[in-house]
């Protein structure tokens, strides 16, 4: 999808509910980065602050909004599962374009401009929107499916067995 | 990812809160399909029932659970943005494998077995899990980014202008 003028919130709106009132203001990438570093709270306890998403919209909210968008435009005639899958693949390609030719990129994208960050936010959103609509059209309850898959992942990769290793589960010995 | 034995809920758990108590039981793919067809309610009003996701987990719930999973295994050393992007690309490929060589696939996947549906549910989940972790590591508030992108899409594709057309927004004339 097209680049934008970068005047938006740049994908950096943070969930500040867990940031103490005397902590740093969270308004841009640097402040968000700062909020992930440890800081003293409660008379000396070090507690790392971690970036978090906004609680809404939920996946179901996104499904419903996208269904309304598609219905209003009479676009369900084009939105068969394989077409949606190809649309998602296209959007994944657009995310990949933003990371190509760069070399390693550190967590938090410290060298990216606001415009690049907003473009990334848009392309990641496009992937999610098509993923949600694909799941809907396939009658997969995506939020519940994720819970089942995460339970399976915990069984396949017991923390005690795989700590610090990138081996695939088929490579572990009992 | 591996196929499973298909004994799970097969990605078909439906949000039944909007189905009337005298409606059809929603327990499998066929019943879900039935619930999307119109039925008489409230003394004759025809209201189509639409498939919906469960309200939870939210995208933030998934971010937090995956962060815990990664932390417990000391896997953040491997989870840089580009590695996560490649992991997501791999999972998209696994979704694509399930649709290849099939020809057109109708909404609701009427000819798919329970095992195939559950495998699809797992691969879609893997895409979402990596997408969420990629957004987190890039400090993109994914739920809010989707809201902004959807607002942009409504501006780019006004319903009155694009009804029933698959043209790209750059092809429309004012």
């Amino acid at each position: 999808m097209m680049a934008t003028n970068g005047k938006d919130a740049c994908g950096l709106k943070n969930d500040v509910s867990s940031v103490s009132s005397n902590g740093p203001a969270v308004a841009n990438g640097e402040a968000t980065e700062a909020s992930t570093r440890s800081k003293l709270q409660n008379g000396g306890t070090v507690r790392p602050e971690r970036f978090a998403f906004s609680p809404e919209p939920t996946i179901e909210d996104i499904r419903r909004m996208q269904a309304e968008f598609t219905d209003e435009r009479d676009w369900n005639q084009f939105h068969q599962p394989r077409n949606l899958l190809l649309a998602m693949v296209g959007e994944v390609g657009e995310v990949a374009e933003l990371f190509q030719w760069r070399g390693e990129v550190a967590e938090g994208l410290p060298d990216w401009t606001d415009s690049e960050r907003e473009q990334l936010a848009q392309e990641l959103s496009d992937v999610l929107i098509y993923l949600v609509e694909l799941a809907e059209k396939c009658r997969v309850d995506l939020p519940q499916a994720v819970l089942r898959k995460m339970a399976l992942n915990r069984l396949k990769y017991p923390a005690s067995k795989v700590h610090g290793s990138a081996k695939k589960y088929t490579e572990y010995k009992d």
Side-chain angles (χ1 to χ4, degrees), chain A residues 3-14:
Chain A
T4 59
N5 59 14
K7 286 179 183 170
D8 272 346
C10 306
L12 291 161
K13 184 173 176 297
N14 202 9

Side-chain angles (χ1 to χ4, degrees), chain A residues 65-137:
Chain A
M65 289 186 290
Q66 178 65 8
E68 289 166 2
F69 179 83
T70 306
D71 287 350
E72 285 166 3
R73 286 155 186 78
D74 193 21
W75 278 356
N76 285 299
Q77 59 187 306
F78 309 118
H79 287 205
Q80 292 85 10
R82 284 162 60 110
N83 277 353
L84 290 167
L85 170 55
L86 289 172
M88 182 176 77
V89 168
E91 298 301 339
V92 170
E94 295 195 52
V95 175
E97 272 190 74
L98 300 176
F99 283 93
Q100 75 191 3
W101 319 133
R102 280 184 181 269
E104 280 307 323
V105 172
E107 189 171 336
L109 315 178
D111 303 326
W112 290 40
T113 66
D114 284 354
S115 175
E116 287 169 334
R117 289 167 188 273
E118 178 58 15
Q119 197 173 354
L120 175 62
Q122 290 189 15
E123 302 307 345
L124 294 174
S125 297
D126 284 333
V127 175
L128 181 54
I129 291 166
Y130 283 130
L131 175 64
V132 162
E133 194 177 352
L134 175 58
E136 180 196 42
K137 292 293 201 288

